[in-house]
Amino acid sequence: MKWIQSAAALAAVLSCAPATAGLKDEMRQPWQRDDVGYIRGWKVAGAFRCDLVRDCLDIPGGESAARPEVEQQRADGSKLEWREHRAWGDRVGFDAATGDRDSGVAYAAARIERANAGPARLEIGSVDGVRVWVNGKRVLARDGHRALTPDEDVVDVDLVAGANTLLIKSAATGAFTARVLEAGSVLRRSAEIGPSLIEMQPEVFTVRTDISSARAAADPVKVEVLKPGGEVTFTATAKRGELVVVDAKGWPEGPYEVRASTRTATRLLRETWLPWFKGDSLAYARRLAADAAAASEADTRGFTLKMLAEMVDDRLGVKLAEARGNPWPKIHSPLMEYAEIRLEQQGKADARARAGGFMRIAYRDAVDGTPQFARAWLPAGYDPAKRWPLVLQLHGYNPANPVYVRWWSVDSRHPDLDTEFADHQQVIYVEPHGRGNTQYFGLGDQDVMRVIAEAKQLFSVDENRVYLTGESMGGWGTWNVATRHPDVFAAIAPVFGGQDYHSQMTEERIAALSPVDRFLQERSSTWALAEGLNNTPIFIRHGDADQAVNVEWTRWGVRLLQRWGYDVRYHEYPGRIHETLETAASNPDVAIAWFLGHTRDPAPRHVRLRSAELRHAKNAWVAVEQMASPMEFADVDAEVIDRNVIRIDTRNVLQLVLTPGALVDASQPVRLVWNGAARELQPANGELRLTDVSYRPGKLVKNAALPGTILDFTTTPFAVVVGTSSKDPQMAAALRAKADAFVEQWRAWQKFPPRVFTDTEITARDMAAYSLLLFGGADENRVTASFGAKLPLRLTRDAVVIDGHAFRTPAAMVQMVYPNPANASRYVWVVAANSSAGLFGVQVGPYNLPEWDFVVSDGHLPAHGQIATRTQTAVASGHFDYNWRYSPALVAAGDAAVRARANQLRPPRPEDTPSVAELDRYVGKYVIANNTAVEIRRDGTKLVVTVGSDSGELLPQGGPDFYMPAFDVWLVFQQDGSRKVTGFTSAGGGDFEATRQ
């Protein structure tokens, strides 16, 4: 359903391009002779089953005449197709290529604008061989093996005034870098050395220590060959550009790594790694497959081996049994990891956790019982006797949302990272998976914190030097995680991520928000919990031409934090779009170098806290245990102001605990001034507990482990329980469909199904072990019925009754979260309706969950162009109070005017079903404003929408109106005066327009 998620965000994306700056806003840049950046915008053609030597395009004038801006026919009559490709960084791959990339080549073309004709310098780096043309003239032909080193080939070229065409041909599985500089330019090298394996025989291979001997007088290169586990089996030292022959006769068959190291002019260590394999890699892979098949899923090494076997199949492109030859470059990484896991099983504890080692952190997440991974790279000088800084890098959004083994760089054994930083400092570098595309909320936030905990157990981590950064969704995640755990990080560096409604809405729209919707908007702000960062240095970066994340959103957040006097550094990059801002040519690893100048204060004297989430209402030595209202933020401003004197000012706080540790003398009473009232308390077990006189806890109370809201449910270990006891066949079928949809969406999102039981299968033990998603009320689900009056929910034909309060509405569905009567540390989430029709119009999915304890809905969706929230279109949304009781003050009724204008969903009726001829009028191809192609076809008497790999049925709602449950959108087909269908509008899950092609 990724296309509809993109469509839902389309309006924000289209409006996020920064306004064009006027003359008043113009700012100069320091002059420099060269634009030193690498070319990232390309058009790609291929892949073609061909090689570097032959002309693979078959166009008039030959391959050198290729011009993406001109339509060109190939000899077979087909059109030469070019696809836009924007590289995320300086390294350009052929991800946009189609066809068989494994055995083919591809072309990349870029347009270079020059004000004047004249000489220029072209710098190229590539994996293995490459061909390069400028304006139809071949200027470079390179063959042979080599690793990618930027600027390895330097070619003087002549450019014309205006547009010039740069054409590059390479293996479709390869990559390259390219930039154009002024003639005679001399720049700092992007890579200190560029070693390659240039000749490989079964038992002998040759290492070239650098791209050339031009810098032979600089520090020499040490070449080492390492066996799995880090044992050095070969060492030699040579000048830069020299060849080192490695004789591997007598070595065991299997994977090896080559480490080439040297020192920079500033005496910092730089290492580059190259893979090598001796022997039959497929035979080695078969041993991995056998061990993986026999491994236990209960053991982290066991499910890691199973993942590695899956990775081998994926990289081979065929099942292992069908693979031929010796394709070791494709599978070297999983085989090396497998070899080191075997060494651990044989007793070598540091086979992976060693100097320069790579370790895949693995754990099983109790939420859904699934294996989860993170990648960790240890510093070159790692010694467990010393404490090391830990840097966490959060990945961005992956539109493909693939299975784990297909995520970006999961088989990268060495990061694209400097080995040493100032004063020879080195870091442990970790990339959590964050449960995939989660925005690092809920599951994703928990994954990051679990990975930190695992890293601290596995490695020697300095608790006061843990740092967090990320780009795009990872930038959002940096804010999301750090503001919820501000006492963990010494510094953070979010990159183009974050938003707040103040920077997205007009003045009039903000003024029109109801108090409830204003609170919900405030709660969803990236900076909703930012007060807690008063002791955390922040380095923010953003490109001012970012077309995906509006730079104004970041500017608003920066301005907010600066007004508070927080430690904020902001770097805005002129002309840069949504791409990595670190480049090999300008500012490599800038965040890490900055990080290492900051150390966490483990006992800050002044602590701030703001949260509407009881689960995350903690910072340093202050923890809120109870809030008065879940519809307000809890605020705390606490400071140790003198010896054993603490000032605590709070708002919406009923109970809190202070653990000031060494900030006070625990043997003496502590004077606490809480909201202006002084008292003295003696610390008990290091704690000082403060309770408001109005707090009246009952038997069941909300707490940090079970704070409420349906949104919080999927942060706990859970199971789906499908009711089977309904006497109404339509109700039973509708509940089954709702449960199936939830399970399938979870599987599509998280790549594993959740735990699923019927109400006759689940045991009492399982009922107590998990939070339970109960599909069906007491009349439809035996588990719901077994809880009886312990759940404050009752359904009648015309009402939903919650804790004695009736919401009068027929055909309604209710979702309610409440402590599990079988285990008060778990939830139940009941999904039930007072008729099967009530279940039709409300989707129950695993993401975008309600931030309420209960919601009563009756199938209202916003109309196209209608600005409305789910709270406004629902019958009612509410929270229980801190004793899990109904409170009228915590309920938001739907907006009658909004509901009157909104679309009302209903189960399809026979009279609504169009004729086949009418359905055929809608069949065709459409495109929405972000160029997403939509195809609508007829399947018998049904209309089916297909976008990429996603599809869904359109259910008739009368006339040209249809509802698509799979995407929760309402479509209305548009037609002109002659009744010709011209497009459609969409509302609900995504508000956009589509044009018929």
Side-chain angles (χ1 to χ4, degrees):
M1 297 197 300
K2 51 187 175 290
W3 79 276
I4 208 68
Q5 294 169 352
S6 298
L10 180 59
V13 171
L14 292 178
S15 66
C16 74
T20 302
L23 294 177
K24 270 178 62 67
D25 299 317
E26 67 181 3
M27 292 185 180
R28 69 180 182 276
Q29 284 289 106
W31 180 82
Q32 58 184 34
R33 180 169 180 259
D34 277 302
D35 177 2
V36 300
Y38 292 87
I39 302 170
R40 295 184 178 182
W42 297 85
K43 290 189 176 180
V44 172
F48 304 101
R49 279 186 168 273
C50 195
D51 55 44
L52 284 177
V53 176
R54 291 181 292 159
D55 184 330
C56 307
L57 296 185
D58 296 326
I59 58 174
E63 60 188 356
S64 64
R67 297 291 186 275
E69 68 275 12
V70 178
E71 184 171 314
Q72 295 174 305
Q73 298 289 324
R74 304 185 69 200
D76 62 4
S78 65
K79 178 184 173 183
L80 178 58
E81 298 283 350
W82 294 87
R83 285 164 295 280
E84 296 283 350
H85 176 63
R86 179 77 193 186
W88 181 252
D90 297 333
R91 178 189 176 105
V92 183
F94 290 97
D95 299 338
T98 59
D100 184 6
R101 293 173 58 195
D102 281 346
S103 57
V105 298
Y107 294 80
R111 182 186 177 106
I112 303 167
E113 294 286 347
R114 299 285 285 188
N116 301 300
R121 171 161 293 186
L122 175 64
E123 298 192 342
I124 300 289
S126 69
V127 175
D128 296 338
V130 68
R131 298 290 186 272
V132 181
W133 295 263
V134 174
N135 295 331
K137 177 183 177 181
R138 193 167 80 177
V139 296
L140 177 64
R142 169 79 73 170
D143 293 304
H145 294 293
R146 65 177 181 177
L148 174 58
T149 301
D151 312 328
E152 180 163 358
D153 294 305
V154 178
V155 184
D156 292 326
V157 297
D158 290 314
L159 299 180
V160 300
N164 296 262
T165 299
L166 171 63
L167 181 67
I168 294 180
K169 177 184 181 183
S170 171
T173 55
F176 64 88
T177 61
R179 62 176 172 177
V180 177
L181 305 174
E182 296 299 327
S185 293
V186 178
L187 301 176
R188 177 178 60 84
R189 281 190 56 172
S190 298
E192 182 64 29
I193 53 174
S196 293
L197 302 187
I198 62 170
E199 184 180 351
M200 287 177 279
Q201 300 173 14
E203 293 193 313
V204 177
F205 61 92
T206 302
V207 180
R208 188 179 61 196
T209 59
D210 199 2
I211 59 176
S212 72
S213 59
R215 300 176 69 228
D219 274 61
V221 178
K222 185 178 182 181
V223 176
E224 300 166 285
V225 180
L226 281 69
K227 298 165 61 176
E231 180 185 343
V232 176
T233 191
F234 173 90
T235 302
T237 300
K239 292 182 178 180
R240 300 189 185 201
E242 287 188 341
L243 302 183
V244 174
V245 178
V246 180
D247 186 348
K249 293 184 179 69
W251 293 8
E253 291 195 351
Y256 294 82
E257 287 184 319
V258 178
R259 178 170 62 199
S261 59
T262 190
R263 294 279 173 182
T264 68
T266 56
R267 311 310 302 153
L268 295 179
L269 177 67
R270 290 292 182 268
E271 292 184 346
T272 302
W273 295 80
L274 302 168
W276 185 68
F277 195 95
K278 180 180 179 180
D280 184 348
S281 63
L282 291 180
Y284 211 89
R286 285 190 285 273
R287 291 202 291 272
L288 163 59
D291 284 354
S296 170
E297 284 276 10
D299 175 65
T300 57
R301 289 195 184 104
F303 62 70
T304 300
L305 288 178
K306 292 179 185 295
M307 179 275 297
L308 293 175
E310 182 184 350
M311 185 183 292
V312 165
D313 279 352
D314 181 77
R315 298 304 186 269
L316 290 173
V318 296
K319 290 294 184 183
L320 178 58
E322 301 169 11
R324 298 293 181 268
N326 191 14
W328 70 262
K330 295 181 179 180
I331 57 177
H332 176 275
S333 174
L335 295 186
M336 189 75 172
E337 191 170 349
Y338 162 59
E340 293 188 329
I341 290 174
R342 287 187 64 191
L343 288 174
E344 288 179 347
Q345 292 172 325
Q346 295 164 9
K348 184 174 173 52
D350 62 349
R352 291 184 292 170
R354 57 177 171 81
F358 166 73
M359 185 164 189
R360 200 177 304 270
I361 296 171
Y363 74 95
R364 190 171 290 280
D365 194 338
V367 167
D368 54 358
T370 55
Q372 300 298 325
F373 303 99
R375 291 171 294 148
W377 295 272
L378 296 175
Y382 180 73
D383 179 352
K386 174 186 172 183
R387 296 290 179 180
W388 296 85
L390 171 64
V391 175
L392 293 106
Q393 170 80 39
L394 304 184
H395 65 73
Y397 180 79
N398 189 333
N401 192 37
V403 295
Y404 176 75
V405 298
R406 292 182 182 167
W407 268 77
W408 302 308
S409 305
V410 292
D411 56 354
S412 173
R413 285 188 53 83
H414 300 282
D416 186 14
L417 193 72
D418 285 348
T419 312
E420 280 188 341
F421 299 88
D423 298 325
H424 303 287
Q425 296 183 88
Q426 300 178 12
V427 302
I428 301 172
Y429 188 71
V430 174
E431 291 190 6
H433 188 52
R435 296 295 305 247
N437 291 331
T438 64
Q439 291 285 348
Y440 300 97
F441 285 121
L443 287 172
D445 170 69
Q446 290 187 162
D447 177 83
V448 174
M449 299 311 295
R450 175 67 181 267
V451 166
I452 292 173
E454 294 286 335
K456 289 178 178 178
Q457 285 190 339
L458 292 167
F459 316 129
S460 183
V461 173
D462 186 338
E463 294 266 0
N464 294 324
R465 290 193 292 168
V466 177
Y467 309 99
L468 184 65
T469 187
E471 298 175 327
S472 193
M473 186 183 80
W476 252 282
T478 300
W479 290 114
N480 294 342
V481 174
T483 57
R484 284 163 177 78
H485 313 277
D487 50 359
V488 172
F489 303 103
I492 64 172
V495 184
F496 46 73
Q499 58 79 32
D500 181 277
Y501 66 103
H502 290 91
S503 58
Q504 296 174 306
M505 293 183 178
T506 63
E507 182 82 15
E508 294 74 21
R509 187 176 172 192
I510 294 175
L513 291 172
S514 69
V516 169
D517 283 322
R518 184 74 179 262
F519 168 73
L520 292 175
Q521 289 288 346
E522 188 70 27
R523 177 172 173 152
S524 68
S525 168
T526 296
W527 299 283
L529 284 64
E531 276 84 342
L533 298 174
N534 65 307
N535 296 301
T536 307
I538 308 163
F539 182 13
I540 306 168
R541 287 170 291 152
H542 207 139
D544 71 355
D546 194 323
Q547 78 285 17
V549 181
N550 195 329
V551 69
E552 291 295 339
W553 302 352
T554 289
R555 289 171 180 169
W556 191 92
V558 169
R559 191 164 65 249
L560 178 79
L561 294 166
Q562 287 176 335
R563 285 166 62 90
W564 296 352
Y566 282 19
D567 186 352
V568 180
R569 177 184 181 186
Y570 179 49
H571 187 173
E572 191 167 288
Y573 295 75
R576 299 296 292 276
I577 64 172
H578 200 68
E579 59 186 338
T580 187
L581 300 176
E582 295 194 14
T583 73
S586 59
N587 55 344
D589 308 317
V590 62
I592 297 178
W594 176 82
F595 278 153
L596 293 171
H598 299 280
T599 302
R600 181 187 71 129
D601 181 356
R605 298 182 68 84
H606 186 196
V607 174
R608 284 185 179 146
L609 167 64
R610 182 186 194 240
S611 181
E613 308 167 15
L614 195 56
R615 183 179 289 279
H616 299 117
K618 180 185 180 300
N619 187 8
W621 44 272
V622 177
V624 175
E625 293 196 330
Q626 196 57 265
M627 299 189 297
S629 170
M631 294 179 68
E632 298 177 26
F633 283 87
D635 287 284
V636 179
D637 183 7
E639 185 176 11
V640 179
I641 59 174
D642 204 347
R643 296 179 181 86
N644 277 36
V645 180
I646 302 177
R647 171 188 58 81
I648 317 104
D649 295 322
T650 67
R651 183 168 53 181
N652 193 37
V653 173
L654 292 177
Q655 189 173 76
L656 72 161
V657 174
L658 311 179
T659 53
L663 292 171
V664 300
D665 181 353
S667 68
Q668 301 296 320
V670 177
R671 187 167 184 260
L672 303 169
V673 185
W674 185 16
N675 290 335
R679 69 194 73 187
E680 286 194 350
L681 288 179
Q682 182 69 44
N685 298 318
E687 294 184 347
L688 297 164
R689 187 176 303 273
L690 296 171
T691 304
D692 191 276
V693 293
S694 66
Y695 184 35
R696 296 287 185 271
K699 291 183 178 179
L700 276 180
V701 294
K702 292 183 175 180
N703 55 56
L706 211 71
T709 78
I710 297 168
L711 179 65
D712 195 67
F713 179 90
T714 54
T715 67
T716 65
F718 76 90
V720 176
V721 183
V722 186
T724 63
S725 60
S726 176
K727 296 178 182 178
D728 177 355
Q730 288 184 316
M731 175 66 84
L735 284 170
R736 179 82 248 184
K738 277 280 182 287
D740 288 347
F742 179 93
V743 170
E744 174 55 27
Q745 289 178 36
W746 186 274
R747 185 207 61 75
W749 181 36
Q750 290 298 319
K751 306 308 172 188
F752 291 90
R755 306 175 187 92
V756 182
F757 302 92
T758 65
D759 56 358
T760 58
E761 296 171 337
I762 193 166
T763 65
R765 182 176 180 179
D766 288 329
M767 287 169 58
Y770 304 121
S771 291
L772 306 175
L773 172 47
L774 302 173
F775 282 94
D779 292 338
E780 298 86 32
N781 191 307
R782 291 177 177 84
V783 175
T784 311
S786 73
F787 292 146
K790 294 178 181 177
L791 293 180
L793 176 65
R794 186 167 57 87
L795 299 170
T796 69
R797 183 173 299 178
D798 63 352
V800 174
V801 183
I802 296 176
D803 200 18
H805 181 87
F807 296 93
R808 300 289 176 188
T809 178
M813 189 182 92
V814 61
Q815 300 182 66
M816 184 192 78
V817 72
Y818 195 77
N820 183 345
N823 179 355
S825 65
R826 295 282 186 263
Y827 289 115
V828 292
W829 170 13
V830 181
V831 176
N834 52 15
S835 72
S836 59
L839 286 171
F840 175 74
V842 183
Q843 302 309 308
V844 180
Y847 31 74
N848 199 22
L849 297 176
E851 297 182 51
W852 299 94
D853 293 339
F854 58 85
V855 178
V856 181
S857 309
D858 60 356
H860 280 77
L861 274 182
H864 177 62
Q866 183 182 19
I867 299 173
T869 65
R870 290 190 297 179
T871 304
Q872 292 174 310
T873 57
V875 174
S877 308
H879 290 286
F880 293 111
D881 67 14
Y882 59 75
N883 282 325
W884 289 99
R885 299 302 306 271
Y886 179 87
S887 171
L890 302 178
V891 177
D895 186 305
V898 169
R899 284 167 52 81
R901 183 186 167 195
N903 295 312
Q904 172 74 68
L905 298 170
R906 61 173 182 263
R909 302 172 302 184
E911 59 266 33
D912 293 330
T913 304
S915 66
V916 169
E918 184 70 10
L919 292 176
D920 284 341
R921 294 181 60 238
Y922 306 130
V923 171
K925 295 182 178 180
Y926 301 76
V927 64
I928 60 179
N930 63 349
N931 293 320
T932 298
V934 180
E935 182 179 2
I936 297 179
R937 59 183 173 83
R938 180 172 60 81
D939 183 3
T941 59
K942 301 184 297 185
L943 285 181
V944 177
V945 175
T946 301
V947 184
S949 60
D950 298 321
S951 63
E953 180 184 355
L954 289 177
L955 302 180
Q957 294 290 297
D961 293 30
F962 291 81
Y963 174 59
M964 195 163 36
F967 307 134
D968 195 28
V969 295
W970 182 288
L971 295 187
V972 181
F973 287 97
Q974 306 297 303
Q975 56 189 22
D976 59 18
S978 64
R979 296 192 72 244
K980 178 183 177 181
V981 175
T982 58
F984 64 78
T985 62
S986 170
D991 194 286
F992 56 91
E993 298 178 359
T995 304
R996 191 169 192 172
Q997 299 301 290

